[in-house]
Amino acid sequence: MAGEDRSPGTAPRAAAPDETPDLYGAYPRLTPKQIRFLSGHGTRRPVAAGEVLIREGDRGGDFYVILGGSVAITEYYGTSDERLLRLHRQGRFLGELGLLQGQVAFYTAHAREAGEVLVIPVDRLRVLVARDPVLGNLVLRAYLGRRTMLVGAGAGFRILGSRYSSDTRRLREFAARNWLPHRWIDLETDAEAEALLRRFSVAPEETPIVIWREEQVLRNPGNAELARLIGLSTPAADGDHDLLIVGSGPAGIAAAVYGSSDGLATTLVDAFATGGQAGTSSLIENYLGFPSGISGSELAERGVLQARKFGARVRIPAEATSLEPDGGHYRVTFTDGTEALGRTVVLATGAHYRRLDVPGIARLEGTSVFYAATVYEARQCGADPVAVVGGGNSAGQASLFLAERVPRVHLLIRGASLGAGMSRYLVDQIERHPRVNVALDTEVREVRGDDTLRSVVVEHIRTKERRAVDACSLFVFIGAKPCTDWLSDVLALDDEGFVLTGAEAEARAAPGVWESQSRGCLRLETSLPGVFAAGDVRSGSVKRVASAAGEGAMAVHHVHDHLGHTTAGLPGPGDDLPAPSGRSAAPGGDPHASATDAHPLHMTGGEGR
């Protein structure tokens, strides 16, 4: 068991017959030495049978170590629907990921038997686990495992809505991408849907609804409203930021880790969820230090926890709509009307997969046509075959992930070779997998189905022969489009909309922007001094998780370079922002670039695409 401190030949104490077993390190028992260490920073107190320690729906709280008695973890505590989830005894600790992130509790913890607990404020816990890496890894591993189990058990809030509703799909995707425990109740097929509608006096046309703790109902809430209910997001911060990071894929998270650990007042914002495209990867296997692989969602959660540990603020959802100079700073405006000022800005908005433009596809997107392959999408496939379109790593990873859950995966590739755009380790696994069928030189021409997908019509590029492939779902990974529409009149972009940096950006900058600076444009700097781009959004970047994380770290190195120079030439408040002088740029070097150590530990986990 992780973190055990015992004499040779002494076995760890086994779980009691009624105690929940330690599954995958989610419920470890602290050693006597660890408990003694924690006791110096907390308070011991008795608990009576039935006493509630953590109540479902409450935010924050304390870290509890059980010293005696037993504690039950239940859902819907005190109602007719009460359900026992876990039972813990002496030596175990309470809490899950939401405790460290400031979210509400998705369960109630109460003493089943009288006993004693050690109580430590959560802010103090964050300091202690940072000082003790063994203890820190034990707690983090347990909390990540517990969140995974809560998600898998369907605990938390409920989303009731139609599978054919775009708002239902939006809420489900937001909850899934942000790893929020929840359960979906299908308006058309779930037996309990009608009873819930009557209980809460909701008409079918008023769905989707979110049901929280059997007492609160949100009618078709926006993503921001749901985030506030759960405590997902940090409120908008007043005042200036040393570093404002827009986009929370691997590049943005790495920048947040390095910026906050360097003492910069750092805020990380994202329009939808942490992780970017990497966050939709089911298993990332080829990054140094993770021989067994890591899922994109866990990758993102680890990185965000690391950034929060160093003091970074995280705000989700917050979609940026404009960037403009303001008194030696930059002002970023968001869709909800709020604003943030940053002395420097790192753009890490990444890119999204291009839509497949074929007849009949629009009506099926979100119900049986997907642009990500996570547990959320896989659950909707049932026991029918699926099709995957694309020849890159993301398509390969999705095919292998889905092949463990469905009887047949049809991988449709436009190119003539499986290995042309895919890593060798994925090619080898796909070629050996009995449930993955590869079709080369193949393009999708049509999708068929009314409410859900029934089949995909494909065409062989050379022979022009067409055939129908039976599939209940279609997963599309066919290239990326940068998320830069809001920057097109602000920064110099290349012909495909990616942000130019370094010498190319300086050459295309508006007249007068760089002449007043005492230095040249840094390698990851855009056509505006103090605004940097990292990861997939940057023109010429290597579209890999490891490279994106490295660029995020290197961008912070450049931030320090910029802050060490004068910014007197930056446009002031009310000044017009000169338009960049065009998108196209010739290749060029950057004599001002410098190297940096770029390896955020426990944050990057592999190649997401």
Side-chain angles (χ1 to χ4, degrees):
M1 183 181 302
E4 284 292 343
D5 177 28
R6 57 182 186 272
S7 302
T10 303
R13 199 186 85 186
D18 61 343
E19 186 179 39
T20 303
D22 181 17
L23 302 173
Y24 312 110
Y27 308 114
R29 203 178 309 279
L30 295 172
T31 68
K33 181 178 179 180
Q34 289 170 332
I35 293 176
R36 286 195 300 272
F37 169 73
L38 291 171
S39 296
H41 303 276
T43 304
R44 303 168 72 110
R45 71 171 179 84
V47 292
E51 181 179 345
V52 173
L53 302 175
I54 300 172
R55 188 175 298 277
E56 186 175 359
D58 288 353
R59 186 180 304 200
D62 296 315
F63 178 76
Y64 292 94
V65 178
I66 304 171
L67 302 178
S70 64
V71 174
I73 307 298
T74 61
E75 187 180 26
Y76 309 130
Y77 177 68
T79 72
S80 59
D81 296 325
E82 181 174 331
R83 177 168 64 122
L84 176 66
L85 299 176
R86 315 279 182 245
L87 183 67
H88 303 302
R89 292 189 177 276
Q90 182 179 353
R92 290 190 175 176
F93 53 87
L94 306 182
E96 60 96 35
L97 196 60
L99 179 65
L100 296 178
Q101 295 183 333
Q103 297 175 11
V104 298
F106 294 98
Y107 57 85
T108 293
H110 61 95
R112 174 171 281 195
E113 301 169 328
E116 186 181 21
V117 295
L118 172 64
V119 187
I120 301 173
V122 67
D123 290 340
R124 186 60 182 163
L125 174 70
R126 293 190 182 101
V127 175
L128 296 176
V129 297
R131 291 179 181 175
D132 186 332
V134 174
L135 178 64
N137 187 63
L138 183 75
V139 172
L140 177 58
R141 181 186 177 194
Y143 278 7
L144 289 169
R146 294 178 192 185
R147 173 55 63 94
T148 299
M149 291 178 182
L150 282 175
V151 170
F157 57 90
R158 287 179 282 183
I159 299 172
L160 193 164
S162 170
R163 67 176 59 199
Y164 309 117
S165 162
S166 60
D167 282 318
T168 300
R169 296 195 298 269
R170 170 182 57 79
L171 289 169
R172 293 180 64 201
E173 184 179 3
F174 183 77
R177 286 288 307 280
N178 286 286
W179 217 10
L180 300 177
H182 71 285
R183 181 161 61 93
W184 171 48
I185 301 170
D186 191 340
L187 181 65
E188 279 79 23
T189 62
D190 274 332
E192 63 178 310
E194 183 64 31
L196 287 171
L197 291 177
R198 287 197 301 268
R199 183 192 302 181
F200 296 108
S201 301
V202 175
E205 58 269 21
E206 294 180 285
T207 60
I209 61 173
V210 171
I211 304 170
W212 175 236
R213 299 177 59 204
E214 299 302 299
E215 60 187 38
Q216 189 170 359
V217 176
L218 303 182
R219 285 171 164 80
N220 193 17
N223 293 345
E225 186 178 0
L226 179 56
R228 286 193 296 270
L229 175 72
I230 303 303
L232 174 65
S233 181
T234 300
D238 296 329
D240 298 346
H241 307 77
D242 294 326
L243 174 58
L244 179 62
I245 304 164
V246 184
S248 67
I253 295 174
V257 170
Y258 277 91
S260 56
S261 65
D262 284 350
L264 299 176
T266 301
T267 293
L268 175 68
V269 302
D270 196 281
F272 194 75
T274 58
Q277 284 191 31
T280 67
S281 295
S282 54
L283 186 65
I284 303 169
E285 295 183 80
N286 63 336
Y287 189 82
L288 179 67
F290 294 91
S292 299
I294 185 171
S295 71
S297 58
E298 183 176 347
L299 165 95
E301 289 296 339
R302 283 177 174 266
V304 171
L305 282 173
Q306 197 172 11
R308 287 180 185 271
K309 180 182 74 173
F310 292 122
R313 298 173 65 91
V314 181
R315 185 180 169 205
I316 295 172
E319 182 178 357
T321 58
S322 67
L323 169 71
E324 58 184 352
D326 190 339
H329 292 62
Y330 287 100
R331 182 180 299 276
V332 175
T333 304
F334 303 97
T335 52
D336 63 359
T338 61
E339 298 176 333
L341 275 178
R343 297 173 66 197
T344 60
V345 177
V346 170
L347 301 171
T349 50
H352 57 78
Y353 290 112
R354 296 183 183 277
R355 264 35 186 180
L356 188 62
D357 186 16
V358 297
I361 199 169
R363 68 178 183 275
L364 300 176
E365 289 182 334
T367 58
S368 47
V369 175
F370 306 105
Y371 296 86
T374 66
V375 173
Y376 160 72
E377 290 84 14
R379 284 176 180 165
Q380 302 184 59
C381 296
D384 296 313
V386 303
V388 177
V389 182
N393 279 3
S394 289
Q397 289 167 345
S399 298
L400 293 169
F401 171 71
L402 294 166
E404 299 303 317
R405 292 159 174 80
V406 300
R408 175 66 61 184
V409 175
H410 299 282
L411 178 55
L412 312 175
I413 299 177
R414 183 179 183 181
S417 168
L418 183 61
M422 194 179 297
S423 296
R424 187 70 236 176
Y425 81 97
L426 288 172
V427 173
D428 292 341
Q429 293 182 56
I430 289 171
E431 290 178 341
R432 292 194 304 265
H433 205 294
R435 290 193 292 277
V436 179
N437 177 61
V438 179
L440 302 174
D441 296 316
T442 300
E443 290 187 330
V444 176
R445 295 301 183 210
E446 182 185 354
V447 294
R448 294 174 178 173
D450 297 324
D451 295 328
T452 59
L453 183 69
R454 302 300 178 194
S455 64
V456 177
V457 177
V458 300
E459 180 181 281
H460 193 276
I461 294 174
R462 288 185 285 108
T463 66
K464 305 301 179 183
E465 178 185 357
R466 291 195 177 192
R467 60 188 176 92
V469 176
D470 290 338
C472 71
S473 298
L474 178 65
F475 295 83
V476 182
F477 306 94
I478 57 170
K481 180 181 184 298
C483 302
T484 56
D485 290 344
W486 63 293
L487 298 169
S488 59
D489 296 328
V490 180
L491 300 177
L493 309 177
D494 69 13
D495 291 336
E496 295 183 348
F498 292 90
V499 179
L500 291 170
T501 57
E504 295 174 301
E506 185 173 0
R508 301 295 169 178
V513 168
W514 283 98
E515 281 75 358
S516 59
Q517 299 295 309
S518 60
R519 58 175 180 81
C521 185
L522 300 168
R523 178 175 292 176
L524 301 183
E525 200 162 20
T526 69
S527 53
L528 287 176
V531 178
F532 305 88
D536 288 3
V537 75
R538 190 178 70 84
S539 178
S541 66
V542 178
K543 304 301 186 275
R544 304 287 191 184
V545 171
S547 298
E551 288 192 5
M554 189 172 182
V556 173
H557 179 80
H558 289 338
V559 164
H560 289 294
D561 286 345
H562 170 75
L563 294 176
H565 287 76
T566 177
T567 55
L570 204 61
D575 290 351
D576 291 331
L577 186 67
S581 60
R583 286 192 169 192
S584 301
D590 179 11
H592 307 286
S594 56
T596 187
D597 177 18
H599 52 91
L601 297 177
H602 305 300
M603 200 286 301
T604 57
E607 303 305 338
R609 45 206 172 275

